[in-house]
Amino acid sequence: MTGYFSSPFDRRHSVGVDVGGVMVGGNAPVVVQSMTNTDTADVDQTVAQVAALAKAGSEIVRITVDRDESAAAVAGIRERLDRLGINVPLVGDFHYIGHKLLADHPSCAEALAKYRINPGNVGFKEKKDKQFGAIVEMAIRYNKPVRIGVNWGSLDQELLTRLMDDNQKQGSPLTANQVMREAIVQSALLSAAAAEEIGLPREKIILSAKVSQVQDLIAVYAELAKRSDHALHLGLTEAGMGSKGIVASSAAMGILLQQGIGDTIRVSLTPEPNGDRTREVQVAQELLQTMGFRQFVPIVAACPGCGRTTSTVFQELAQNIQNDLRKNMPVWREQYPGVEELKVAVMGCIVNGPGESKHADIGISLPGTGETPTAPVFIDGKKAATLRGPDIAEEFERMVAAYIEQRFGRGGRQAAE
């Protein structure tokens, strides 16, 4: 099958890029990225946030490098993270003066795993090509990959103006939005070609083209995928807060991923005031996991509830199980290989509960409102126990922990072998 309904594992061929030991593109799985919002010059805060993002599952973390103080702090941040055993690759986000910061701070240039540059603001007029070339030459010198990241909010105005003028001369001109999309695509491709001409290998280049509207993102990346084999970083820029940002990012990137487009993703959520930055990592993981590309945490199936489930017991149990699994995954991933494949069901009543629970590795079917307070538990498709009384939730949580130990612990692995 082709189009939107093609296999999610039938991915577009792209050139693989090694980013500090994490492979992006080629035959590698789609990689989750995130970005700090700390002042990089504040080493303590930046190290803490990078560590939190990495613990949440971010496989690459980008940091802002916007001035001398932040560039001077990068090597220390890398050293502190290494001492903590956190080897997540760091990407330097450069705008305007990246060429100068990399030249003036060689320890920063060495410590970063990748440089991100924006061809729209790397330099202006006669300085543009020179300063772009200087960053590319630094990447070659330090053997670092580069992400050429076009953003419609800082698009190369000279290129856009030229394309607008050319369009006006055509008999059937495109709309302004169509010209803008073409300018974004051309900016990325022309910049990549320029980098290769300077001497940066294709396996050191990743492209991105960030816009904030879903249909624009789909159209731009479809065209990029058609016209190049570069590894592609997906992300809806300025996606927004809360459910709006989550829905918009998922809608746009879900369609592209289903078409086999995209090698690494970031969900650019605006956090709530004092909110948890790791939320963007969780959403990115859930998007990839829901679509069947990656498996990060055990799946908890839970019914939405209805008039038969006015009790909140199953809701609280499902939430507690999900939170407990996610909290323990950094340790469990090492202690119990394969645990991310676990499937748990927490159902609210007897209508679909027993059947859904049998399909899971371990599941519970709560009785529903007004029904006899008994809850059968199914393990590997067979009824294993019936829980009763006020402590059903706590007993089931203990059974899940015991099942994980039995199946994914050393004894369970040896028995399977």
Side-chain angles (χ1 to χ4, degrees):
M1 299 178 71
T2 59
Y4 294 150
F5 301 101
S6 61
S7 165
F9 302 102
D10 183 20
R11 290 179 54 204
R12 153 191 174 271
H13 172 72
S14 63
V15 175
V17 180
D18 186 341
V19 181
V22 174
M23 187 59 66
V24 173
N27 295 319
V30 180
V31 172
V32 172
Q33 293 195 33
S34 61
M35 185 176 182
T36 60
N37 62 355
T38 59
D39 178 358
T40 304
D42 187 328
V43 174
D44 290 342
Q45 284 197 12
T46 302
V47 167
Q49 192 171 89
V50 171
L53 290 166
K55 183 178 180 182
S58 183
E59 293 158 302
I60 297 174
V61 177
R62 183 158 46 114
I63 61 177
T64 299
V65 187
D66 58 346
R67 64 192 196 281
D68 284 306
E69 291 81 1
S70 59
V74 170
I77 292 168
R78 179 72 273 167
E79 183 181 342
R80 287 265 298 273
L81 290 168
D82 289 342
R83 288 205 304 267
L84 292 170
I86 299 168
N87 59 3
V88 63
L90 297 179
V91 177
D93 193 56
F94 294 100
H95 297 276
Y96 304 108
I97 58 171
H99 62 291
K100 185 177 185 301
L101 294 175
L102 287 168
D104 292 347
H105 300 274
S107 62
C108 169
E110 180 61 45
L112 293 170
K114 183 176 72 173
Y115 310 152
R116 188 268 183 170
I117 57 177
N118 183 339
N121 59 32
V122 71
F124 302 99
K125 298 188 181 297
E126 67 279 357
K127 294 182 178 179
K128 176 185 173 184
D129 291 344
K130 180 181 179 181
Q131 292 175 184
F132 176 85
I135 297 178
V136 171
E137 288 170 358
M138 282 287 181
I140 295 170
R141 179 185 305 175
Y142 289 98
N143 194 30
K144 306 293 182 179
V146 169
R147 171 155 74 93
I148 296 173
V150 181
N151 191 301
W152 79 318
S154 51
L155 186 56
D156 183 338
Q157 292 302 301
E158 292 182 27
L159 174 61
L160 180 60
T161 299
R162 176 170 60 78
L163 291 180
M164 286 289 189
D165 290 343
D166 290 345
N167 183 57
Q168 288 299 318
K169 298 173 184 176
Q170 303 300 317
S172 300
L174 302 173
T175 66
N177 193 56
Q178 289 172 319
V179 176
M180 182 271 293
R181 291 175 177 176
E182 176 62 20
I184 291 172
V185 172
Q186 284 201 26
S187 180
L189 295 178
L190 290 170
S191 298
E196 289 189 63
E197 188 174 342
I198 293 169
L200 189 66
R202 181 159 294 204
E203 61 269 19
K204 292 288 186 182
I205 299 173
I206 296 173
L207 300 183
S208 68
K210 298 291 190 71
V211 296
S212 60
Q213 300 298 317
V214 169
Q215 295 300 336
D216 288 331
L217 193 83
I218 295 168
V220 165
Y221 273 96
E223 195 64 23
L224 268 178
K226 185 191 304 181
R227 290 156 65 173
S228 84
D229 62 355
H230 288 95
L232 298 179
H233 169 77
L234 299 187
L236 191 73
T237 192
E238 294 100 32
M241 299 180 72
S243 61
K244 185 269 181 186
I246 293 170
V247 170
S249 293
S250 299
M253 290 193 284
I255 289 172
L256 290 166
L257 290 166
Q258 187 67 23
Q259 294 177 340
I261 298 171
D263 301 293
T264 176
I265 68 171
R266 182 195 172 203
V267 177
S268 300
L269 294 180
T270 303
E272 303 289 340
N274 301 313
D276 189 349
R277 189 69 169 179
T278 63
R279 179 63 171 147
E280 67 176 56
V281 178
Q282 182 179 341
V283 173
Q285 288 182 328
E286 289 176 351
L287 172 60
L288 293 175
Q289 181 158 327
T290 299
M291 295 192 70
F293 283 98
R294 300 279 304 272
Q295 196 75 25
F296 297 98
V297 297
I299 294 174
V300 178
C303 70
C306 65
R308 291 181 292 271
T309 57
T310 55
S311 168
T312 62
V313 173
F314 87 95
Q315 298 166 341
E316 293 164 358
L317 177 56
Q319 183 179 52
N320 289 343
I321 290 291
Q322 183 71 73
N323 291 343
D324 188 59
L325 292 171
R326 184 168 288 279
K327 180 185 72 175
N328 285 299
M329 276 308 293
V331 174
W332 283 355
R333 194 174 286 112
E334 301 297 326
Q335 188 174 357
Y336 303 119
V339 68
E340 62 272 9
E341 302 291 336
L342 178 70
K343 294 178 176 61
V344 181
V346 180
M347 304 300 290
C349 79
I350 62 173
V351 174
N352 294 314
E356 187 75 40
S357 297
K358 289 177 183 177
H359 290 308
D361 296 315
I362 179 169
I364 187 170
S365 177
L366 294 166
T369 304
E371 298 168 10
T372 304
T374 60
V377 175
F378 296 86
I379 295 177
D380 295 330
K382 298 179 181 179
K383 185 176 178 181
T386 299
L387 305 183
R388 297 180 174 84
D391 299 323
I392 287 176
E394 291 79 5
E395 290 182 50
F396 183 66
E397 288 181 30
R398 287 193 291 270
M399 291 185 73
V400 170
Y403 179 83
I404 291 173
E405 170 61 33
Q406 175 267 321
R407 177 175 169 183
F408 300 101
R410 180 168 303 190
R413 294 199 303 275
Q414 289 176 344
E417 294 170 358

